[in-house]
Amino acid sequence: MTEQTPHTANDAVSSAAPRPLVVAVAGNPNVGKSTLINAIAGTRLQVGNWPGVTVEKKEALFEHNGRKIRLVDLPGTYSLSPYTQEEIIARDYLVKLRPDLIVNVVDATNLERNLYLTVQLMELGIPVVMALNIYDEAEAKGYRFNLHGIETMLGVGVVPTSATRRSGLTELLDKVLETAAQPADHAPRILNYGDDVETAVALLGDTLRREHPALFALYPERWLLLRLMEGDERLRQEINLAQDALPEEIFHHLRRGHGEDLEALMADARYSQAAGLAREVLFKKEERRVEMTERIDRVVLNRFLGIPIFLAAMWLVFKLTFDLSKPFGDWINDMAGGPFKHWTTVLLGLVGAPDWTVSLATEGVISGVGFVLVFVPVIFMMMFFITFLEGSGYMARAAFVMDRAMHAMGLHGKSFIPLLLGFGCNVPGIYATRTLENPRDKVLTALLIPLMSCGARLPVYVLFVGAFFPNNPGTVIWSLYVLGIALAIVMGVFFKRTLFRGEAPMFIMELPPYRMPSFTSLCLHTWEKGKHFLIKAGTYILAVSIFVWFLLNLPWGVEHKKDSYLGQAGQVMAPVLSPLGFGTWQAASSLITGVIAKEIVVGTMGEIYAPKKGEQKKPEASFGEDLQEIAVSFGKAVKESASNVVSTFGVSSLAADEKEDRGPLKATIQQTFTPLSAYAFMVFVLLYMPCVVVAIAMRQEFGSWKWFGVAFAYQSALAWGMAMIVYQGGQLLGWGV
Amino acid sequence: MHLAMMKPGQQGKIVHIGTAVGPIKRRLMDMGVLAGEPVRVEKVAPLGDPIEVTIKGYNLSLRKKEAEGIEVEVTP
Ligand SMILES: Nc1nc2c(ncn2[C@@H]2O[C@H](COP(=O)(O)OP(=O)(O)OP(=O)(O)O)[C@@H](O)[C@H]2O)c(=O)[nH]1
Ligand SMILES: [Mg+2]
């Protein structure tokens, strides 16, 4: 996927199957490149209505009319300048790996600014086909296009498309194949950037051809000359050209006529081509309509309402997430603990398996995975809402509203997005820091992400809140999220003053129009995000559950779990935790396993506190009855979930009474914790080190363990300190009962 | 007069991108913030920064600090 050699010309050696046609999909951010590829190739690339969703290049292979085509989704860029990571990825790909063809996705509602990139793509000398996307919205606005005009003026094929409605796709692919069949006839026009520029380019070309002819084999000629002329430092260093290797008189002449800044000169030249073209081919009515986006923004970004609305939106997301998903979580829990365990025991008994395998299967595998699966509904619900916020365009507003606050912590409004994603799972949050342009922002944001309470910590809260704060579970959980955020602010300011002194980053961002994401695409992308959690629960947490079972049951034949390996480790660590109110070996052991992934804390507790088998045997039920029971209780869960929505909005409290018992685990922890120490424990789980996957993600992003080390150190200190303050402080205030 | 001084609803024309330099200036130019371009201030964020403007028919948000580097003249 990351070949170093160009895949044109000479790698068509493997004769039998023809080499797939390599088509790069390039365009401005948020114009629907990923949506288009998903629609064409049936892939599930991530999509969202804010600039910067795709941050690395992704590929999709498919066939059209018998021809294999490889589509490469490039990150969206406004330009091919070498300043942001996305721009560098896109331009390195286009210049060095030279795709056979470029599909330039253009936002039809925003033609001029999009053409500015088109003009730059044309400099590469690669055939271009333009997908005039979001055509539906442009038509709705009353825009008309002279498509033939664009084709003749630019020398590129144009096809109107609407990726979300899947229209124009076949035509686009036909045009791609047609163009690729005769690449020589479809070279984009060479646009004239004005006499002064063109003279300078010609002169520069003569010099380079004389002195560095090899360069022209490596780079597209016009692109190379134009970039060198405008003073592209990255390119100059890449080709090892000394600053004074370029003839000074060329620049001298240009500077006299156009001022010092040749970059500005070129931006102007390219934009005037774009503007001229847009004037020629686009007809719009000159009235200024108040559009839906503007009406919504008047409220959502209002001086006084903006912040309350933002907070209320976040609150609603959490509230709905928990209320909607809880009955389903309970249902899964009942199923795993009841019929499932029961039938496994029966089946294993039938084949005459030894007792310890029954224990491993029920206590290790089913309990472990079951405890985690219980939280699948919560995670999916949360992902659903995050996907909705992304898809609707509110994310970008959130960045706009929050930028001032983020800025105070030395961050960028856009950092808000990775931080917010961190609430789902810290790992995608860490990867999303790539949307930040400046390395400093990236590291600082990534350091704070683990303070965002991820979905994996929820199981722990849900369990403890259910046991100790049944009357106001939402508020208690909310307080933990707020604590995480508050500490992120404190740590942000702290880091800004210590490790990250210096220049604060820029904030220049497009606010896209609001769009209603379609329900199918919402579900699809929710599934894609939630899948990671499922896979984790299915494989690696399964493995860990088994491992923990062994730790708990070794040395072979231990009588008490306390004497098992895990129990011994827990005993060593327990004294460190006693000032925090939970200095028991059980709590310590659970926390140790939580390092692998925080949701495992609950699984381990289940293991440790699990009742001896046999205690919970139900009266024998037939398989048929159990199946019926499963179906009936699922129906109840659906009803309960629906009535919870109603009560969320305060219409009335139809919610069914809380089922009095969610298993023996709750009862046991009620005996070993007090509400105060339970809260301290939750605070500790919120803050103590990021999980192993986050560690790996950080290492990948920053190329060393250094920043993970920093995160590990400060979080351990913070977790211990905060839990101590909560517990000791609470006791002083007399809450320790 | 610079862009950060304009009030929401006011329209103007960019005269010069002054103090902004390097990547910031380049980014602004790439996004269509060029001398001669009409610009309209739409909103100021609830916390007072950043601001939102319309330029080349789309909505752009930028901080006041960056906006201060953009010289404008107000058009009625
Ligand atoms: N109305 C309409 N909306 C579209 C169309 N194509 C894409 N969208 C929406 O535009 C938004 C951006 O889509 P993406 O596919 O994420 O855009 P992208 O170009 O990959 O964006 P980056 O990865 O940020 O560069 C999403 O909200 C899409 O639903 C279209 O043809 N019509
Ligand atoms: Mg994308």
Side-chain angles (χ1 to χ4, degrees):
Chain A
M1 189 172 136
T2 48
E3 313 87 315
Q4 289 309 308
T5 47
H7 29 216
T8 34
N10 43 11
D11 66 345
V13 206
S14 56
S15 50
R19 193 180 58 85
L21 188 70
V22 180
V23 176
V25 179
N28 279 190
N30 207 43
V31 296
K33 297 177 295 299
S34 301
T35 313
L36 189 75
I37 294 180
N38 288 346
I40 290 176
T43 44
R44 292 171 179 184
L45 305 173
Q46 220 193 329
V47 164
N49 189 16
W50 48 276
V53 179
T54 305
V55 286
E56 1 161 54
K57 68 181 172 63
K58 295 264 173 68
E59 311 201 349
L61 192 69
F62 72 105
E63 254 188 51
H64 181 68
N65 291 349
R67 182 82 160 100
K68 275 216 175 60
I69 301 179
R70 179 155 66 186
L71 290 179
V72 182
D73 187 13
L74 295 177
T77 60
Y78 294 104
S79 162
L80 295 181
S81 355
Y83 289 120
T84 68
Q85 200 168 336
E86 292 98 56
E87 283 169 351
I88 292 171
I89 293 175
R91 91 175 204 170
D92 277 357
Y93 182 80
L94 292 171
V95 171
K96 296 196 184 136
L97 297 178
R98 310 232 72 199
D100 299 314
L101 191 137
I102 300 171
V103 167
N104 175 210
V105 185
V106 161
D107 177 354
T109 64
N110 207 337
L111 191 63
E112 182 183 339
R113 202 202 59 215
N114 277 259
L115 284 175
Y116 176 71
L117 178 69
T118 307
V119 164
Q120 296 182 54
L121 293 173
M122 288 163 58
E123 292 163 7
L124 295 166
I126 301 171
V128 175
V129 172
M130 184 190 292
L132 197 55
N133 197 36
I134 318 192
Y135 201 71
D136 51 316
E137 279 184 22
E139 278 188 318
K141 285 176 155 216
Y143 290 9
R144 309 229 144 280
F145 298 88
N146 173 1
L147 299 178
H148 185 68
I150 309 180
E151 293 198 329
T152 46
M153 277 186 262
L154 297 184
V156 307
V158 181
V159 181
T161 59
S162 178
T164 41
R165 300 181 182 190
R166 315 180 66 93
S167 71
L169 306 182
T170 322
E171 291 84 344
L172 178 68
L173 292 176
D174 289 344
K175 183 77 92 183
V176 164
L177 288 189
E178 180 194 319
T179 308
Q182 306 286 336
D185 298 347
H186 289 93
R189 281 267 154 76
I190 291 173
L191 301 177
N192 187 317
Y193 291 143
D195 291 346
D196 288 345
V197 173
E198 296 302 336
T199 320
V201 166
L203 266 170
L204 191 59
D206 291 343
T207 316
L208 283 188
R209 242 184 301 274
R210 215 169 38 240
E211 284 162 28
H212 306 275
L215 282 179
F216 290 100
L218 296 175
Y219 293 93
E221 175 174 333
R222 187 165 169 81
W223 184 84
L224 177 75
L225 296 176
L226 285 167
R227 293 286 153 181
L228 286 177
M229 199 204 73
E230 64 184 303
D232 189 319
E233 272 301 295
R234 187 183 155 86
L235 177 64
R236 203 178 51 71
Q237 280 165 15
E238 203 175 276
I239 62 179
N240 264 322
L241 211 60
Q243 196 124 40
D244 51 14
L246 304 173
E248 189 47 39
E249 68 269 18
I250 301 176
F251 299 101
H252 190 68
H253 179 71
L254 278 174
R255 288 207 176 95
R256 216 176 37 221
H258 302 275
E260 275 305 304
D261 193 344
L262 296 182
E263 266 192 338
L265 169 67
M266 283 314 296
D268 256 331
R270 292 186 177 115
Y271 252 117
S272 48
Q273 283 288 348
L277 193 77
R279 249 194 324 273
E280 292 283 318
V281 301
L282 169 62
F283 313 98
K284 43 180 161 181
K285 295 189 212 99
E286 253 326 313
E287 87 208 77
R288 206 186 129 74
R289 274 198 312 164
V290 180
E291 306 205 4
M292 183 192 68
T293 294
E294 207 177 321
R295 280 202 296 268
I296 297 177
D297 273 346
R298 271 188 203 158
V299 180
V300 165
L301 301 182
N302 178 284
R303 266 229 109 123
F304 307 103
L305 296 177
I307 302 264
I309 287 179
F310 168 73
L311 293 176
M314 294 298 125
W315 179 83
L316 194 65
V317 165
F318 287 121
K319 180 84 177 141
L320 280 177
T321 301
F322 299 125
D323 286 358
L324 279 173
S325 60
K326 185 171 174 298
F328 295 103
D330 290 350
W331 177 74
I332 294 179
N333 186 52
D334 291 348
M335 292 309 107
F340 218 70
K341 254 188 199 168
H342 174 68
W343 286 104
T344 313
T345 314
V346 170
L347 280 179
L348 285 175
L350 278 181
V351 300
D355 265 5
W356 71 268
T357 51
V358 177
S359 160
L360 173 61
T362 55
E363 308 312 322
V365 177
I366 299 183
S367 296
V369 174
F371 276 122
V372 174
L373 284 183
V374 166
F375 304 99
V376 165
V378 186
I379 305 254
F380 273 77
M381 211 57 88
M382 176 79 95
M383 295 301 177
F384 181 85
F385 288 116
I386 288 181
T387 310
F388 177 79
L389 290 179
E390 279 179 353
S392 63
Y394 186 71
M395 278 287 200
R397 270 73 188 180
F400 180 71
V401 170
M402 294 310 288
D403 181 63
R404 186 65 233 284
M406 292 285 129
H407 195 47
M409 320 158 40
L411 292 175
H412 185 284
K414 265 206 221 163
S415 305
F416 182 78
I417 291 163
L419 287 172
L420 193 64
L421 291 179
F423 283 118
C425 173
N426 288 178
V427 178
I430 302 275
Y431 288 118
T433 57
R434 290 187 193 180
T435 53
L436 296 160
E437 277 131 45
N438 166 322
R440 184 201 105 112
D441 290 354
K442 271 182 238 195
V443 173
L444 186 47
T445 310
L447 281 181
L448 299 180
I449 284 175
L451 296 179
M452 302 300 112
S453 187
C454 67
R457 279 165 252 192
L458 256 182
V460 185
Y461 307 157
V462 174
L463 174 69
F464 276 78
V465 161
F468 294 98
F469 308 97
N471 297 327
N472 36 13
T475 317
V476 172
I477 294 181
W478 185 78
S479 75
L480 290 161
Y481 280 88
V482 171
L483 178 67
I485 297 168
L487 288 172
I489 295 172
V490 174
M491 290 313 294
V493 173
F494 171 76
F495 283 134
K496 180 180 152 190
R497 302 249 165 95
T498 53
L499 289 175
F500 295 91
R501 257 178 275 172
E503 195 48 24
M506 62 178 168
F507 177 88
I508 300 171
M509 189 181 72
E510 183 183 354
L511 292 176
Y514 288 104
R515 297 194 166 106
M516 192 63 203
S518 79
F519 189 70
T520 37
S521 97
L522 272 182
C523 293
L524 198 87
H525 294 291
T526 304
W527 168 248
E528 281 303 304
K529 292 195 184 101
K531 202 171 73 180
H532 295 286
F533 180 80
L534 263 187
I535 292 174
K536 241 165 99 186
T539 56
Y540 144 62
I541 292 174
L542 173 67
V544 172
S545 299
I546 294 172
F547 180 65
V548 168
W549 184 88
F550 277 109
L551 279 184
L552 264 172
N553 288 281
L554 290 177
W556 197 243
V558 283
E559 277 290 309
H560 289 287
K561 291 185 170 162
K562 193 173 175 181
D563 304 322
S564 66
Y565 289 145
L566 186 63
Q568 289 174 23
Q571 285 178 53
V572 172
M573 213 183 108
V576 182
L577 301 176
S578 17
L580 319 182
F582 44 87
T584 62
W585 68 268
Q586 292 99 327
S589 307
S590 314
L591 290 171
I592 292 172
T593 55
V595 161
I596 297 167
K598 290 195 177 176
E599 59 267 51
I600 294 179
V601 170
V602 174
T604 312
M605 290 196 140
E607 284 279 297
I608 293 178
Y609 294 124
K612 287 275 165 287
K613 73 180 154 48
E615 276 171 24
Q616 57 172 37
K617 269 227 173 91
K618 296 209 295 184
E620 291 297 319
S622 79
F623 192 59
E625 278 169 33
D626 265 0
L627 270 186
Q628 205 181 354
E629 158 79 18
I630 292 176
V632 169
S633 56
F634 184 76
K636 276 196 196 137
V638 173
K639 222 166 82 193
E640 200 178 320
S641 165
S643 66
N644 278 350
V645 182
V646 178
S647 59
T648 296
F649 295 102
V651 178
S652 69
S653 192
L654 298 173
D657 283 338
E658 158 101 20
K659 275 182 245 129
E660 78 278 18
D661 191 20
R662 259 190 63 185
L665 176 52
K666 235 181 215 175
T668 329
I669 60 168
Q670 270 163 344
Q671 285 157 22
T672 44
F673 286 83
T674 64
L676 183 62
S677 69
Y679 194 77
F681 186 77
M682 289 192 282
V683 168
F684 193 85
V685 169
L686 163 69
L687 301 173
Y688 89 118
M689 74 166 285
C691 73
V692 171
V693 194
V694 170
I696 293 168
M698 280 196 182
R699 146 94 238 209
Q700 253 178 16
E701 285 303 288
F702 306 119
S704 81
W705 291 108
K706 178 180 166 201
W707 293 114
F708 172 71
V710 172
F712 177 74
Y714 96 83
Q715 282 190 260
S716 305
L718 202 60
W720 196 87
M722 287 309 296
M724 208 257 305
I725 291 171
V726 166
Y727 185 68
Q728 300 295 345
Q731 282 208 315
L732 282 180
L733 294 171
W735 293 342
V737 270
Chain B
M1 176 99 183
H2 55 67
L3 188 58
M5 289 159 77
M6 283 170 65
K7 300 258 165 318
Q10 267 188 326
Q11 252 166 318
K13 201 164 130 185
I14 295 170
V15 179
H16 177 67
I17 309 181
T19 52
V21 283
I24 296 185
K25 181 168 185 186
R26 180 62 196 239
R27 184 57 181 273
L28 285 169
M29 292 188 308
D30 283 340
M31 296 191 76
V33 181
L34 296 165
E37 200 60 44
V39 60
R40 183 186 142 95
V41 174
E42 298 289 342
K43 282 183 194 67
V44 178
L47 296 174
D49 201 19
I51 61 170
E52 180 195 347
V53 304
T54 319
I55 191 158
K56 288 201 184 283
Y58 76 98
N59 295 340
L60 177 72
S61 65
L62 71 170
R63 287 206 186 121
K64 284 192 166 159
K65 185 163 166 289
E66 268 87 61
E68 278 163 12
I70 301 170
E71 244 177 78
V72 288
E73 75 194 14
V74 177
T75 49

